[in-house]
Amino acid sequence: MAFHEYDSGQKGYLNREDVKVATVSLFGYKPSKFEVDQVFKNAKEVNGEHVLELDPFIKVMSSKMAAQDKDEEIRQVFLAFDTHCRGFLTLDDLLRAGSLVAPHIPRHRMEAAFREVDSDGDSRVSYRDFEYMMKYSLDDRM
C-alpha cells in the first residue's frame, strides 16, 4: 500500500514531505503548497508537526482518484467528439455525435447548447469549455 511505502521511518503517519512524494508517485505531479495545506488543514499534530495518519490519507487520496477518474472520462468523451483531432469541437462535431447517441434531440436545441458552451463565440468549443460544461450542474447556480 502506498501509505506504508511513503511512511519514512515507519512512524504510522506521513509528514508534508511524505505526502508530496506520495502525490507525485500516485498522480504524476507535485502538489502545490496550497493543496498540501488543504490536506493538512484538519490533520493531527505530533511533536508540533501536522501529520496524516492512514485513514485520513486514504480518504484524501480516494477523493483525488475519483476526481481524476471523472476528468479522464470527460477527456475521453471530448476525444470521441473531436474526430478530426483538432483540440476543439465545432457545431458539426456536436451534430454528428448527437445524431449517433441522441437522434431524438432537435437540431435547434443542439445549436443552442453549442452556442451556450462556446463561451468566446469563436464557433469552437475548447476542451476547457467542454470540461466546464461537463462539470457544471444546476446546483452551482444557487
Side-chain angles (χ1 to χ4, degrees):
M1 167 182 257
F3 180 87
H4 301 297
E5 192 174 323
Y6 301 106
D7 177 9
S8 56
Q10 305 304 307
K11 306 171 298 287
Y13 58 81
L14 302 180
N15 62 25
R16 292 178 68 86
E17 201 55 42
D18 296 334
V19 169
K20 288 179 191 177
V21 171
T23 303
V24 168
S25 178
L26 293 168
F27 300 102
Y29 74 93
K30 181 180 176 187
S32 67
K33 180 183 180 322
F34 175 79
E35 189 175 351
V36 175
D37 288 345
Q38 292 301 306
V39 168
F40 282 93
K41 187 169 52 176
N42 298 317
K44 178 180 173 180
E45 206 171 305
V46 173
N47 298 328
E49 176 183 37
H50 284 94
V51 298
L52 204 60
E53 293 180 315
L54 179 61
D55 287 342
F57 175 80
I58 290 172
K59 184 176 178 184
V60 167
M61 294 304 158
S62 296
S63 172
K64 287 177 135 336
M65 291 261 185
Q68 187 178 30
D69 290 346
K70 185 68 174 166
D71 289 345
E72 178 62 18
E73 184 179 334
I74 291 170
R75 191 175 74 73
Q76 291 300 322
V77 171
F78 181 85
L79 292 173
F81 278 44
D82 183 14
T83 57
H84 299 292
C85 300
R86 296 175 295 211
F88 60 85
L89 304 178
T90 64
L91 177 58
D92 288 339
D93 294 328
L94 181 64
L95 293 173
R96 183 174 33 267
S99 71
L100 296 172
V101 297
H104 60 283
I105 298 177
R107 181 184 176 100
H108 72 276
R109 290 234 172 117
M110 300 281 274
E111 290 170 349
F114 184 85
R115 282 192 305 274
E116 188 170 331
V117 174
D118 180 18
S119 64
D120 59 5
D122 66 353
S123 298
R124 296 176 175 184
V125 171
S126 67
Y127 177 75
R128 178 171 276 136
D129 289 339
F130 185 81
E131 180 183 37
Y132 177 78
M133 174 202 64
M134 295 295 283
K135 289 181 175 180
Y136 182 76
S137 76
L138 292 176
D139 294 339
D140 294 338
R141 290 187 193 184
M142 298 176 177

